Amino acid sequence: MIYEPGDKIVVKQTNEDGKVIEIINENMVMIEVRGVKFPAYADQIEYPYFKMFTQKKVVEKKKIYVDDVRKEKSIRKKTGDGVLLQFIPVMDKDVFDDEVVDKIKIYLVNMNEEAYQFDYNLYFSSESDFSLKGILHPLSEFYLHDIHFEDVSDNPRFSFEFSLNEPQKKKATYFEAGLKVTGKKIFKRIEELLNKNEASFSYELFALYPDKEPDEKMDMSSLGSAGFRVYDAGKARSYLPPARTVVDLHIDKLTDNPEGLSNYEMLTMQLNEFEKYLELAVLHHLKEFIVIHGVGEGKLRDEIHERLKLKKEVKSFFNRYHALYGYGATEIFL
């Protein structure tokens, strides 16, 4: 639920102003409009900021001279200000020749003297909508993409993985940075920007690229004398069980006595097996593998897909028709 009690809202159908009084459940809220309280679905209302920026305004027409045109700010030639995510609203004219916000241009800005490689993803509701890889040069800006103004209300999440373009021994191999901001906050920033007649606003992703975390060394001799087997980490992969390119999670493949198990126990056993072979696939550097979950009611498939969404090692996955497994298998790319 993106609304909270006290939030100002607009009823989409009638365009009337109101406010949220109470949260009923995940889909419904109690609102008050002109002193009348009644329940409404969340998709029947919206924040007033979109209305403020798109409604027609009656203003006195005046001539605009070249010297009066607002210019986009150029990057400052100064180091030490970090890497920023910059938002530049783009105005357009409606049918009444009034200015409205049409879209927002998104830039990655580097104020440091280091060059970075980056892997970028834009998410809406946990689903990747856009991805891009590139190099962000020192004291420069990198254009990422545009966002339609109406899409801002879907609470976009901007996710980055940075690494040095020229690796350094004392610096981290990579690190993650990102920005998760509600549409409500972005609307307010745009309102402040327009009132101040400024061209853009920014959020800092990081100031300085982080150092590598020190390795914690441990005395292994005591473990060996206590009866534990100590392995050479450089040969760790040779001690691992082999990975599989096809993992069959049908319960009769995992146990000889499935009749004695409850549905919960069977699902737990199947998910543990899935996690085991997903981890082995990552450790053995497999590029892809297939997990067979069957069709059924889709509970096992849905649980697997939810877990895959949270794994940073997973590049993508597809549950599409396969000549051997029909729709009962998911193909996973790492």
Side-chain angles (χ1 to χ4, degrees), residues 59-124:
V59 296
E60 181 182 354
K61 301 297 180 182
K62 61 180 182 179
K63 293 182 179 181
I64 300 177
Y65 300 94
V66 174
D67 292 341
D68 296 330
V69 177
R70 184 177 61 193
K71 299 178 176 62
E72 294 184 0
K73 289 184 176 179
S74 60
I75 186 168
R76 293 173 289 167
K77 300 301 180 182
K78 177 184 176 182
T79 61
D81 288 337
V83 173
L84 315 174
L85 193 62
Q86 185 181 53
F87 297 74
I88 302 179
V90 178
M91 312 301 290
D92 196 6
K93 299 286 187 178
D94 60 16
V95 293
F96 296 95
D97 203 33
D98 293 322
E99 278 195 339
V100 294
V101 179
D102 178 51
K103 58 187 178 183
I104 302 176
K105 303 182 79 65
I106 311 296
Y107 286 85
L108 193 58
V109 180
N110 185 7
M111 306 295 290
N112 296 337
E113 292 186 327
E114 297 174 319
Y116 309 107
Q117 296 183 22
F118 67 87
D119 189 347
Y120 166 64
N121 279 276
L122 169 67
Y123 293 95
F124 287 106

Side-chain angles (χ1 to χ4, degrees), residues 249-267 269-270:
L249 296 181
H250 283 101
I251 194 64
D252 57 350
K253 301 291 185 181
L254 307 182
T255 177
D256 295 330
N257 185 29
E259 294 82 8
L261 300 174
S262 66
N263 290 337
Y264 174 78
E265 290 172 329
M266 287 190 288
L267 180 61
M269 182 180 293
Q270 290 170 314

Side-chain angles (χ1 to χ4, degrees), residues 80 140 277:
S140 67
Y277 280 100

